[in-house]
Amino acid sequence: MAKSPEVKLAVFGRAGVGKSALVVRFLTRRFIWEYDPTLESTYRHQATIDDEVVTMEILDTAGQEDTQQKESHMRWGDGFVIVYDITDRGSFDEVAPLRGLLEEVKKPKNVPLVLVGNKADLEHARQVGTEEGERLAAEMACAFYECSACADEGGMVAEAFHELCRELRRR
Ligand code: GDP
Ligand code: MG
Protein backbone atom coordinates (compact mmCIF):
# COMPACT_ATOMS: atom_id res chain seq x y z
CA MET A 1 0.00 0.00 0.00
CA ALA A 2 1.25 3.45 -0.89
CA LYS A 3 2.01 5.71 1.98
CA SER A 4 1.10 9.34 1.55
CA PRO A 5 2.24 12.37 3.46
CA GLU A 6 0.30 13.75 6.34
CA VAL A 7 -2.63 16.06 5.72
CA LYS A 8 -3.75 18.83 8.03
CA LEU A 9 -7.50 19.27 8.27
CA ALA A 10 -9.23 22.08 10.14
CA VAL A 11 -12.90 22.13 11.11
CA PHE A 12 -14.63 25.50 11.11
CA GLY A 13 -18.12 26.75 11.88
CA ARG A 14 -20.08 28.69 14.46
CA ALA A 15 -19.92 27.50 18.08
CA GLY A 16 -22.55 24.86 18.75
CA VAL A 17 -22.94 23.46 15.22
CA GLY A 18 -21.42 20.15 16.32
CA LYS A 19 -17.79 20.35 15.17
CA SER A 20 -16.47 18.47 18.20
CA ALA A 21 -19.27 15.90 18.02
CA LEU A 22 -18.47 15.28 14.33
CA VAL A 23 -14.74 14.93 14.94
CA VAL A 24 -15.32 12.56 17.86
CA ARG A 25 -17.81 10.57 15.78
CA PHE A 26 -15.29 10.29 12.97
CA LEU A 27 -12.48 9.22 15.29
CA THR A 28 -14.38 6.89 17.63
CA ARG A 29 -17.68 6.12 15.83
CA ARG A 30 -19.36 7.30 18.99
CA PHE A 31 -21.42 10.30 19.91
CA ILE A 32 -20.60 12.39 22.93
CA TRP A 33 -23.47 14.61 23.98
CA GLU A 34 -21.59 17.28 25.85
CA TYR A 35 -18.23 18.47 24.84
CA ASP A 36 -16.48 21.52 26.26
CA PRO A 37 -17.46 24.24 23.75
CA THR A 38 -14.43 26.39 24.47
CA LEU A 39 -12.00 23.56 23.86
CA GLU A 40 -9.75 23.52 20.85
CA SER A 41 -8.02 20.22 20.15
CA THR A 42 -5.94 18.49 17.56
CA TYR A 43 -6.10 14.78 16.90
CA ARG A 44 -4.07 12.37 14.81
CA HIS A 45 -5.87 9.74 12.84
CA GLN A 46 -4.92 7.14 10.26
CA ALA A 47 -7.31 5.76 7.72
CA THR A 48 -7.10 3.68 4.57
CA ILE A 49 -8.81 5.56 1.79
CA ASP A 50 -8.91 3.91 -1.64
CA ASP A 51 -6.03 1.58 -0.69
CA GLU A 52 -3.86 4.39 0.51
CA VAL A 53 -2.87 5.01 4.10
CA VAL A 54 -3.56 8.62 5.00
CA THR A 55 -2.40 10.22 8.20
CA MET A 56 -4.52 13.14 9.25
CA GLU A 57 -3.99 15.80 11.78
CA ILE A 58 -7.38 17.26 12.64
CA LEU A 59 -7.88 20.62 14.29
CA ASP A 60 -11.24 21.04 15.97
CA THR A 61 -11.58 24.79 16.37
CA ALA A 62 -13.74 26.29 19.10
CA GLY A 63 -15.65 28.56 16.71
CA GLN A 64 -15.21 31.59 18.95
CA GLU A 65 -11.85 32.76 17.65
CA ASP A 66 -11.15 36.29 16.52
CA THR A 67 -10.18 36.91 12.91
CA GLN A 68 -6.48 36.77 13.62
CA GLN A 69 -6.76 33.35 15.28
CA LYS A 70 -8.96 32.10 12.45
CA GLU A 71 -6.40 33.23 9.90
CA SER A 72 -3.62 31.44 11.69
CA HIS A 73 -5.68 28.21 11.76
CA MET A 74 -6.36 28.68 8.07
CA ARG A 75 -2.68 29.09 7.28
CA TRP A 76 -2.00 25.89 9.23
CA GLY A 77 -4.55 23.75 7.37
CA ASP A 78 -4.31 22.01 4.01
CA GLY A 79 -8.01 21.18 3.79
CA PHE A 80 -11.12 22.42 5.52
CA VAL A 81 -14.48 21.21 6.75
CA ILE A 82 -16.97 24.03 7.13
CA VAL A 83 -19.90 23.01 9.28
CA TYR A 84 -23.29 24.60 9.80
CA ASP A 85 -26.30 23.39 11.75
CA ILE A 86 -29.42 22.75 9.63
CA THR A 87 -31.52 24.01 12.57
CA ASP A 88 -29.59 27.29 12.83
CA ARG A 89 -29.96 29.67 9.91
CA GLY A 90 -27.35 32.00 11.38
CA SER A 91 -24.72 29.27 11.27
CA PHE A 92 -25.45 28.82 7.54
CA ASP A 93 -25.06 32.56 6.98
CA GLU A 94 -21.58 32.35 8.48
CA VAL A 95 -20.37 29.85 5.88
CA ALA A 96 -19.80 32.30 3.01
CA PRO A 97 -17.77 34.77 5.11
CA LEU A 98 -15.63 31.89 6.41
CA ARG A 99 -15.03 30.74 2.85
CA GLY A 100 -14.16 34.33 1.90
CA LEU A 101 -11.57 34.56 4.63
CA LEU A 102 -10.14 31.18 3.60
CA GLU A 103 -9.77 32.32 0.00
CA GLU A 104 -8.05 35.47 1.13
CA VAL A 105 -5.62 33.63 3.41
CA LYS A 106 -4.82 30.93 0.85
CA LYS A 107 -4.74 32.95 -2.35
CA PRO A 108 -3.80 32.41 -5.08
CA LYS A 109 -4.40 28.72 -4.30
CA ASN A 110 -7.95 27.51 -4.35
CA VAL A 111 -8.96 25.86 -1.16
CA PRO A 112 -9.81 22.17 -0.69
CA LEU A 113 -13.06 22.22 1.19
CA VAL A 114 -16.14 20.22 2.11
CA LEU A 115 -19.40 21.67 3.37
CA VAL A 116 -21.30 19.81 6.09
CA GLY A 117 -24.84 20.51 7.23
CA ASN A 118 -24.98 18.83 10.64
CA LYS A 119 -27.86 17.77 12.95
CA ALA A 120 -29.80 16.19 10.09
CA ASP A 121 -31.60 14.10 12.75
CA LEU A 122 -33.45 17.25 13.86
CA GLU A 123 -35.67 17.39 10.78
CA HIS A 124 -38.58 18.92 12.75
CA ALA A 125 -36.41 21.94 13.63
CA ARG A 126 -34.87 22.40 10.21
CA GLN A 127 -34.24 26.01 9.12
CA VAL A 128 -31.95 25.42 6.14
CA GLY A 129 -33.20 23.35 3.20
CA THR A 130 -31.07 20.63 1.66
CA GLU A 131 -31.22 22.43 -1.70
CA GLU A 132 -29.83 25.59 -0.10
CA GLY A 133 -26.82 23.63 1.14
CA GLU A 134 -26.41 22.05 -2.28
CA ARG A 135 -26.59 25.42 -4.01
CA LEU A 136 -24.02 26.99 -1.70
CA ALA A 137 -21.67 24.02 -2.18
CA ALA A 138 -22.05 24.34 -5.96
CA GLU A 139 -21.13 28.03 -5.71
CA MET A 140 -18.08 27.11 -3.67
CA ALA A 141 -17.29 24.18 -6.03
CA CYS A 142 -17.05 21.72 -3.15
CA ALA A 143 -18.66 18.50 -1.94
CA PHE A 144 -21.68 18.71 0.34
CA TYR A 145 -22.99 16.33 2.99
CA GLU A 146 -25.89 16.48 5.37
CA CYS A 147 -24.81 14.56 8.45
CA SER A 148 -25.79 13.77 11.97
CA ALA A 149 -23.07 13.29 14.52
CA CYS A 150 -25.53 11.51 16.80
CA ALA A 151 -27.34 9.33 14.24
CA ASP A 152 -24.72 8.53 11.64
CA GLU A 153 -26.16 5.31 10.21
CA GLY A 154 -24.79 5.75 6.72
CA GLY A 155 -21.25 6.61 7.80
CA MET A 156 -21.73 10.02 6.19
CA VAL A 157 -19.42 11.74 8.67
CA ALA A 158 -16.43 9.58 7.70
CA GLU A 159 -17.39 9.98 4.05
CA ALA A 160 -17.10 13.78 4.36
CA PHE A 161 -13.63 13.56 5.89
CA HIS A 162 -12.51 10.94 3.38
CA GLU A 163 -13.75 12.99 0.45
CA LEU A 164 -11.71 15.93 1.70
CA CYS A 165 -8.61 13.70 1.77
CA ARG A 166 -9.35 12.57 -1.79
CA GLU A 167 -9.75 16.18 -2.88
CA LEU A 168 -6.33 16.94 -1.37
CA ARG A 169 -4.77 14.00 -3.14
CA ARG A 170 -6.14 15.14 -6.50
CA ARG A 171 -4.10 18.33 -6.24
P1 GDP B 1 -19.14 22.72 18.52
O1 GDP B 1 -19.20 23.94 19.37
O2 GDP B 1 -19.34 23.07 17.07
O3 GDP B 1 -17.92 21.89 18.76
O4 GDP B 1 -20.42 21.83 18.89
P2 GDP B 1 -20.50 20.54 19.85
O5 GDP B 1 -19.92 19.36 19.18
O6 GDP B 1 -19.98 20.90 21.19
O7 GDP B 1 -22.08 20.32 19.88
C1 GDP B 1 -22.95 21.37 20.36
C2 GDP B 1 -24.26 20.76 20.84
O8 GDP B 1 -24.95 20.17 19.73
C3 GDP B 1 -24.07 19.63 21.86
O9 GDP B 1 -25.10 19.74 22.80
C4 GDP B 1 -24.23 18.37 21.04
O10 GDP B 1 -24.75 17.31 21.82
C5 GDP B 1 -25.21 18.79 19.98
N1 GDP B 1 -25.02 18.08 18.70
C6 GDP B 1 -23.88 17.96 17.99
N2 GDP B 1 -24.08 17.26 16.85
C7 GDP B 1 -25.38 16.91 16.85
C8 GDP B 1 -26.22 16.18 15.93
O11 GDP B 1 -25.81 15.70 14.87
N3 GDP B 1 -27.53 16.06 16.29
C9 GDP B 1 -28.04 16.57 17.45
N4 GDP B 1 -29.33 16.39 17.70
N5 GDP B 1 -27.29 17.27 18.32
C10 GDP B 1 -25.99 17.44 18.03
MG1 MG C 1 -16.30 22.21 19.98
Side-chain angles (χ1 to χ4, degrees):
M1 251 189 283
K3 200 149 184 179
S4 65
E6 204 171 284
V7 293
K8 296 196 179 89
L9 311 181
V11 184
F12 279 94
R14 173 187 270 195
V17 297
K19 297 177 297 298
S20 301
L22 286 167
V23 170
V24 169
R25 161 66 74 180
F26 175 50
L27 298 178
T28 68
R29 300 198 176 89
R30 285 194 175 80
F31 180 66
I32 292 174
W33 273 105
E34 288 312 326
Y35 207 83
D36 183 347
T38 61
L39 211 67
E40 173 189 303
S41 320
T42 53
Y43 303 88
R44 288 174 70 82
H45 180 68
Q46 257 194 359
T48 304
I49 304 169
D50 310 331
D51 289 332
E52 187 178 45
V53 177
V54 180
T55 304
M56 290 161 240
E57 213 175 321
I58 301 172
L59 170 63
D60 172 25
T61 68
Q64 302 164 329
E65 297 83 356
D66 61 28
T67 304
Q68 214 178 346
Q69 288 168 306
K70 278 189 194 136
E71 286 176 352
S72 103
H73 291 151
M74 288 171 176
R75 277 192 292 275
W76 174 88
D78 304 315
F80 301 88
V81 181
I82 299 185
V83 184
Y84 67 91
D85 170 353
I86 68 151
T87 72
D88 174 11
R89 164 74 50 187
S91 71
F92 183 70
D93 295 338
E94 286 183 22
V95 172
L98 272 173
R99 162 70 166 13
L101 189 60
L102 261 174
E103 295 263 276
E104 206 174 294
V105 169
K106 294 298 201 188
K107 74 183 169 206
K109 288 203 283 186
N110 70 15
V111 187
L113 180 71
V114 297
L115 179 64
V116 170
N118 189 40
K119 307 197 188 181
D121 55 295
L122 300 179
E123 189 56 46
H124 59 281
R126 182 189 282 276
Q127 290 182 0
V128 182
T130 304
E131 6 17 273
E132 293 179 86
E134 285 168 350
R135 210 175 309 134
L136 181 58
E139 280 167 27
M140 305 194 304
C142 73
F144 171 62
Y145 298 89
E146 275 194 355
C147 291
S148 167
C150 74
D152 184 38
E153 285 96 8
M156 227 25 147
V157 174
E159 187 48 36
F161 280 90
H162 288 186
E163 182 55 30
L164 181 56
C165 291
R166 290 191 194 99
E167 179 62 31
L168 278 162
R169 195 187 44 202
R170 285 194 282 265
R171 284 154 193 258

